[in-house]
């Protein structure tokens, strides 16, 4: 498994931006990676995923093009640029790595501990 740690969460006003980072240990270039989030009282949901080589991405329909996922395999890092943030984007954001694909949690074997994102109105 891969050890993963998220960075970059915080408090931001609605309409603002945040960039989340995830630093992983090991040879992450062989794994697909993803971001998930969990809002208070809700189930964890997939936000976006990116293929091992960065050539393929997928986003949750609800994001309406506001988020961008990217990765840097030289740095074993995963990123999520979040723009036009909304109050409903509030939650704990997790990065994940695995050999599966898509926005289902079962596709991923390794998880970070999460970083809190709070969007105020």
């Amino acid at each position: 498994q891969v050890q993963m740690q998220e960075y970059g969460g915080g408090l931001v006003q609605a309409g603002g931006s945040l960039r989340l980072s995830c630093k992983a240990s090991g040879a992450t270039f062989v794994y697909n990676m993803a971001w998930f989030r969990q809002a208070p009282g809700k189930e964890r949901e997939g936000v976006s995923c990116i293929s091992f080589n960065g050539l393929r991405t997928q986003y949750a329909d609800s994001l309406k093009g506001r988020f961008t996922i990217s990765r840097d395999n030289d740095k074993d890092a995963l990123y999520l640029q979040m723009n036009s943030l909304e109050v409903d984007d509030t939650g704990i954001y997790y990065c994940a790595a695995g050999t599966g694909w898509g926005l289902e949690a079962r596709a991923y074997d390794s998880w970070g501990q999460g970083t809190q994102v709070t969007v105020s109105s």
Side-chain angles (χ1 to χ4, degrees):
Q1 284 191 340
V2 178
Q3 301 293 322
M4 309 180 76
Q5 179 66 57
E6 302 89 347
Y7 300 93
L11 174 64
V12 63
Q13 285 190 327
S17 298
L18 276 178
R19 187 188 193 216
L20 303 183
S21 301
C22 173
K23 184 67 175 72
S25 64
T28 56
F29 59 87
V30 299
Y31 295 107
N32 299 324
M33 300 178 78
W35 288 99
F36 287 77
R37 67 185 181 187
Q38 188 165 16
K42 295 187 178 180
E43 294 185 354
R44 190 174 299 190
E45 64 172 347
V47 172
S48 181
C49 57
I50 186 168
S51 61
F52 68 98
N53 56 9
L55 296 181
R56 183 183 178 191
T57 59
Q58 183 178 341
Y59 295 91
D61 292 340
S62 62
L63 295 180
K64 303 175 185 176
R66 298 182 292 117
F67 292 7
T68 302
I69 192 171
S70 62
R71 65 188 295 167
D72 184 339
N73 286 343
D74 290 337
K75 297 181 179 178
D76 291 323
L78 176 71
Y79 305 102
L80 185 69
Q81 178 67 43
M82 305 186 294
N83 297 328
S84 302
L85 282 162
E86 302 172 354
V87 173
D88 286 346
D89 294 319
T90 295
I92 301 174
Y93 283 69
Y94 301 89
C95 59
T99 55
W101 176 253
L103 299 180
E104 296 289 333
R106 62 176 179 264
Y108 304 92
D109 306 307
S110 299
W111 293 81
Q113 294 186 335
T115 186
Q116 177 70 44
V117 172
T118 303
V119 184
S120 63
S121 58

